[in-house]
Amino acid sequence: MSVTTLSSRVLAQRQPSWLVRLFDYKPFLIVICLAPAIGLLAVFLTYPLGLGIWLAFTDTTIGQKGIFVGLDNFQYLLSDPLWWNAVFYSVVYTGIATFGKFALGFWLALLLNNHFPFKSLLRAIILLPWIVPTVLSALAFWWIYDPQFSIISYLLVDVLHWRTTNVDFLGSPWPARFSLIAANIWRGIPFVAISLLAGLQTISPSLYEAAMLDGASAWQRFRYITFPMMMPILAIVMTFSIIFTFTDFQLVYAITRGGPGNSTHLLATLAFQRGIAGGELGEGAAIAVSMIPFLVFATLFSYFGLARRKWQQGEAND
Amino acid sequence: MRNDITRRDALALGLSAATVAATGVAAHAQSAIKVADAPAPKLPIEKGATLRMLRPVRFVQADEDVFRANAAKFTKETGVEVKIDFVGWEDISQQTAVTANSGAGPDIIIGFSDAPHIYIDKLIELTDVADYVGKRYGGWLPLAQRYGKKNKSDTWIGLPFGASAGPLIYRKSILQSVGFDKVPEDHAGILDLCQKLQKAGKPAGFALGNAKGDGNGFASWALWSHNAALLDEEGSLTINSKETIAALNWVKQLYPTFIAGTTSWNDVSNNRAYAAQEIALTANGVSLYFSLKNDPATKAIADDSEHQLLPKGVAKISPMAGLTLNAMVFKHSQYPNAAKAFLQFMLEKDQYEPWLNANSGYWAQPLAAYADAAVWSQDPKVKIFKDTMNSTYYDGYKGPISTATGAVSADYVLIQMFASVATGAATPEAAAAEAEQRCKRYFRRQK
């Protein structure tokens, strides 16, 4: 009897405390480890996003508290030609700039993937447009596009005498739109080129060697090896590129402020113009919120692009 | 008598003013400012008071030097520490909004023209101080009253410290070469001049891009000189009127005479084009003249330049508004009396006159007596800025100033109306209707 009692006591002493048991409990550990991250996300991401979405449903102005107005801001935007114009140009800007960045960036990546002298130096130089702060790039382009003092006009008019008048890059809608797209392409190429170069370098040379032994042409090697193997990285880089381009603000605001007229407003610059400069916080927030469907589309594009892993093996899609 | 001020002179003037302010020595012995006796308001300064204020960054260094010296003098006399932060012009509106919305931050902000009307619920009245300095210094000028007082009342919600104007600046020799001594006051004459300037290869150029100061200035002038206005006295929108259509038609005729690219001009574009001798006529603040004058390479351009009030057109007086510095004291301040006493102190002659002189004409006085300050007799080409605050024109003219009037200006509604007609993107009727539509949205909550 006494032995049994002793054993029970020993067992009782060996029983870990509730705190130790709690920290041995896996679900609790998961919660406690994730809590700081969730807290940070809640404070710095969820709250601002939630506040922005809430503001979109109010008539808040700078200096005055607003009231809930339901879908009023969105209804107004649907009838606002300036918002439609911004949607149109945002899509055009993103589409053409992304295409330009990828065409040139991929080409550049393929070139840089070859062996040639001073390869490292050239790669570093190509990164320059990405390193320079956007506002600085914008100021440089602003000078390049200046109606009176443009270096391009100077070359064409004063040096080469090919024109008699300066080129008015930013004075009318379409030239201004394409000028901004050109600036965005210039700035975005390094990101695409370097990212795709990293992807190219993960492709095993043995695949190319085998293809060459089989007599595959350069185009066939690109079509059946490089391109499929690059699809995952292409998809993710393109997604990021689309998101960055669609939400671009600095280039446009520093060069044209949405002008001439409102022809070069992107949704991001229009949101700022209405919400901050114009003081209509609710409406500005609604314009920003109206960008979400486009950005969700870009994210889904990435998801489905990445999901097609069989591309890597040159097989059909799932 | 010398009729020019060199950079050295300007600095010396500023430094001497700063010294005067810093040392507490009585203001210039030769000062011509007349001061009337008036009972000062009782403003017992709170125990342990300290103040924090924001104001737009200085344009000329002496502005900041003298302002700080005056504040230090106030601290010396009252024991109230004053911390002054100078912030960029583009940022002051946002910082004021945050201060007003959060109910925390600076006790005093010197914002721009309409700021007190936007944050009226967050501000304390300054009527006692305004009445006192008004009686003492010859009364508040019309533009100061417009921006300082609550609409249709004698309650002061802001204390204007000065205003900057943007009159015409032109090349005298070039105008003479095409047969003009000055810019005509009528629209037909201006058009004729601009056509001749264009033929002479030295055209005019006025900003039609999204330029906050110069673009809005040109658009407002084009409207007002045709007796058109954004609002009527009651605050109803009148932008879509036959007068506006006339203004739009006139600018449509005028635009082809401008140098190419004005639809993409920002606030510095006309300065650069004028300094590079690409254009012979534009509108600008005194800054352009001073930058030309202070640079030996461009001094000849300054010597050949003249200022002129914006032409009247069919208006009775020159329709020119001024960008006004407007001081506000927030309700959240723990030391409202100290804040009011500080503003009163800064507007008193011993402080204000040196500061006004130090600005070389960039800011013009809001109180009539300061028209006799030395700065206005130093350079005849600067004298034109003296009466800036005598103007009866303002942002939102003819109606009450409100958040919406500021928003219309900030959103470039008027400039874009003119630009779209000038470039042929819209008819005058369509552009006026679209501007009205955009304005309606901003004015939908105004009483």
Side-chain angles (χ1 to χ4, degrees):
Chain A
M1 192 66 187
S2 59
V3 173
T4 308
T5 309
L6 185 64
S7 303
S8 302
R9 198 174 295 153
V10 170
L11 279 174
Q13 282 174 351
R14 283 181 182 169
Q15 184 76 21
S17 69
W18 65 270
L19 197 62
V20 173
R21 277 184 282 130
L22 185 65
F23 273 93
D24 276 345
Y25 185 53
K26 199 173 175 182
F28 175 76
L29 274 179
I30 292 170
V31 169
I32 206 82
C33 289
L34 283 179
I38 291 170
L40 286 172
L41 284 173
V43 172
F44 294 110
L45 284 177
T46 312
Y47 173 72
L49 183 65
L51 180 64
I53 293 172
W54 164 250
L55 283 173
F57 293 96
T58 69
D59 64 357
T60 309
T61 58
I62 286 182
Q64 300 292 328
K65 283 180 181 166
I67 55 164
F68 182 77
V69 294
L71 293 170
D72 178 75
N73 287 326
F74 295 97
Q75 281 174 336
Y76 173 72
L77 291 180
L78 289 175
S79 66
D80 179 9
L82 299 186
W83 181 79
W84 281 109
N85 181 70
V87 170
F88 167 72
Y89 184 54
S90 296
V91 172
V92 169
Y93 183 80
T94 307
I96 300 177
T98 304
F99 178 80
K101 279 185 273 194
F102 269 78
L104 294 169
F106 202 2
W107 173 68
L108 209 55
L110 290 168
L111 286 181
L112 290 174
N113 201 33
N114 293 322
H115 294 288
F116 53 85
F118 309 112
K119 191 165 67 176
S120 301
L121 180 67
L122 202 64
R123 284 179 186 174
I125 290 170
I126 281 164
L127 268 178
L128 274 178
W130 185 253
I131 295 166
V132 175
T134 312
V135 169
L136 202 58
S137 313
L139 286 175
F141 273 97
W142 179 62
W143 273 103
I144 290 169
Y145 294 146
D146 189 283
Q148 272 78 52
F149 306 102
S150 159
I151 181 71
I152 299 173
S153 289
Y154 172 72
L155 286 173
L156 295 178
V157 178
D158 298 323
V159 179
L160 301 171
H161 305 291
W162 287 356
R163 286 177 60 95
T164 53
T165 55
N166 285 2
V167 186
D168 189 8
F169 290 98
L170 304 175
S172 44
W174 279 108
R177 285 169 178 157
F178 282 113
S179 298
L180 289 177
I181 289 169
N184 184 277
I185 289 174
W186 177 85
R187 182 161 171 75
I189 284 175
F191 170 70
V192 175
I194 297 296
S195 303
L196 296 187
L197 178 62
L200 284 172
Q201 290 180 340
T202 62
I203 301 174
S204 170
S206 61
L207 292 173
Y208 292 107
E209 288 163 12
M212 286 173 81
L213 286 174
D214 288 341
S217 66
W219 168 247
Q220 284 172 321
R221 290 198 299 277
F222 176 79
R223 167 75 182 82
Y224 295 107
I225 300 174
T226 309
F227 193 67
M229 295 293 281
M230 287 293 289
M231 271 318 292
I233 187 89
L234 269 172
I236 197 155
V237 173
M238 186 171 282
T239 305
F240 276 105
S241 178
I242 288 172
I243 291 172
F244 292 155
T245 313
F246 196 80
T247 57
D248 193 9
F249 174 84
Q250 295 176 73
L251 264 182
V252 174
Y253 203 75
I255 297 175
T256 65
R257 290 196 177 184
N262 286 293
S263 58
T264 58
H265 262 309
L266 297 174
L267 284 167
T269 56
L270 188 67
F272 177 83
Q273 185 61 34
R274 290 275 172 83
I276 307 298
E280 293 276 347
L281 276 180
E283 202 172 302
I287 296 170
V289 167
S290 73
M291 296 165 73
I292 291 176
F294 298 97
L295 298 173
V296 167
F297 171 78
T299 309
L300 290 175
F301 179 85
S302 164
Y303 174 78
F304 287 115
L306 284 169
R308 295 175 178 181
R309 289 188 180 281
K310 284 192 175 179
W311 285 7
Q312 291 179 64
Q313 283 79 42
E315 294 176 26
N317 300 329
D318 278 330
Chain B
M1 182 181 155
R2 285 179 62 194
N3 61 359
D4 62 337
I5 306 174
T6 63
R7 189 205 302 260
R8 190 184 297 261
D9 292 336
L11 278 174
L13 182 63
L15 286 174
S16 82
T19 309
V20 165
T23 55
V25 176
H28 300 274
Q30 69 275 30
S31 171
I33 309 294
K34 294 174 191 70
V35 185
D37 284 332
K42 287 189 173 58
L43 296 168
I45 291 175
E46 298 86 353
K47 199 174 175 188
T50 58
L51 294 173
R52 196 183 147 213
M53 83 174 293
L54 286 185
R55 57 148 288 185
V57 72
R58 82 281 189 272
F59 186 79
V60 288
Q61 183 61 44
D63 172 356
E64 180 174 339
D65 293 343
V66 179
F67 203 87
R68 285 195 188 282
N70 284 339
K73 195 174 155 193
F74 177 76
T75 302
K76 194 177 172 189
E77 289 186 13
T78 62
V80 178
E81 288 290 338
V82 186
K83 183 177 182 301
I84 305 170
D85 290 318
F86 288 74
V87 296
W89 287 28
E90 298 283 342
D91 299 331
I92 196 86
S93 299
Q94 283 85 322
Q95 297 212 23
T96 309
V98 171
T99 300
N101 281 345
S102 63
D107 306 86
I108 306 166
I109 294 183
I110 297 185
F112 287 118
S113 311
D114 55 2
H117 299 261
I118 296 171
Y119 306 108
I120 190 166
D121 298 337
K122 317 282 181 182
L123 306 176
I124 63 169
E125 280 187 27
L126 300 168
T127 309
D128 48 358
V129 176
D131 285 347
Y132 162 70
V133 289
K135 283 175 190 159
R136 202 160 154 77
Y137 297 106
W140 291 92
L141 297 175
L143 195 61
Q145 292 196 43
R146 173 60 68 176
Y147 282 130
K149 285 180 183 176
K150 192 176 168 182
N151 293 317
K152 293 181 180 174
S153 83
D154 284 325
T155 303
W156 288 78
I157 49 174
L159 289 179
F161 265 62
S164 180
L168 297 178
I169 179 167
Y170 62 85
R171 292 291 299 275
K172 192 168 49 184
S173 64
I174 299 174
L175 255 67
Q176 282 169 350
S177 72
V178 296
F180 289 83
D181 283 330
K182 52 182 272 195
V183 180
E185 291 289 334
D186 63 308
H187 292 116
I190 298 165
L191 183 60
D192 183 36
L193 166 65
C194 290
Q195 285 166 342
K196 285 175 177 158
L197 287 174
Q198 190 202 18
K199 278 183 192 156
K202 294 288 180 189
F206 292 89
L208 276 167
N210 291 348
K212 181 88 177 77
D214 294 333
N216 279 313
F218 174 72
S220 295
W221 166 62
L223 273 183
W224 297 337
S225 67
H226 284 85
N227 280 342
L230 179 67
L231 303 163
D232 64 16
E233 288 81 354
E234 300 307 311
S236 302
L237 276 168
T238 56
I239 189 64
N240 191 2
S241 65
K242 66 178 191 310
E243 289 84 2
T244 301
I245 303 291
L248 289 167
N249 276 317
W250 180 70
V251 170
K252 189 175 173 61
Q253 288 179 286
L254 190 67
Y255 173 69
T257 70
F258 290 174
I259 194 167
T262 52
T263 47
S264 62
W265 272 14
N266 62 20
D267 280 300
V268 302
S269 302
N270 62 344
N271 300 46
R272 288 191 293 124
Y274 190 89
Q277 309 200 57
E278 299 269 337
I279 56 172
L281 170 66
T282 190
N284 210 290
V286 76
S287 55
L288 173 56
Y289 171 68
F290 270 107
S291 65
L292 293 170
K293 183 174 170 174
N294 290 334
D295 185 344
T298 55
K299 189 171 182 306
I301 304 172
D303 292 341
D304 187 39
S305 294
E306 292 288 348
H307 288 112
Q308 182 182 327
L309 292 180
L310 294 179
K312 292 176 193 168
V314 295
K316 286 178 184 161
I317 61 165
S318 169
M320 188 173 72
L323 177 68
T324 302
L325 288 177
N326 214 347
M328 303 163 270
V329 178
F330 286 85
K331 280 179 182 168
H332 64 245
S333 171
Q334 292 178 40
Y335 312 110
N337 278 355
K340 284 161 74 170
F342 175 69
L343 292 177
Q344 180 182 310
F345 179 83
M346 297 295 266
L347 284 165
E348 293 277 16
K349 178 184 154 188
D350 287 352
Q351 289 68 241
Y352 192 82
E353 189 184 11
W355 180 75
L356 186 69
N357 288 338
N359 276 290
S360 309
Y362 196 75
W363 297 115
Q365 70 286 337
L367 292 153
Y370 289 123
D372 293 327
V375 65
W376 304 123
S377 54
Q378 297 284 342
D379 183 346
K381 291 183 182 179
V382 173
K383 194 177 177 183
I384 191 174
F385 292 87
K386 183 177 81 170
D387 295 321
T388 298
M389 297 203 81
N390 263 323
S391 176
T392 50
Y393 287 86
Y394 55 93
D395 259 5
Y397 173 83
K398 309 172 185 174
I401 299 168
S402 65
T403 314
T405 55
V408 167
S409 162
D411 203 14
Y412 312 115
V413 175
L414 301 179
I415 304 170
Q416 289 168 2
M417 177 178 74
F418 279 104
S420 64
V421 173
T423 55
T427 62
E429 290 75 16
E434 187 190 325
E436 182 183 35
Q437 200 60 32
R438 288 175 69 182
C439 291
K440 271 183 185 168
R441 179 72 180 168
Y442 281 122
F443 280 92
R444 69 193 186 282
R445 283 188 292 268
Q446 302 300 321
K447 292 165 191 170

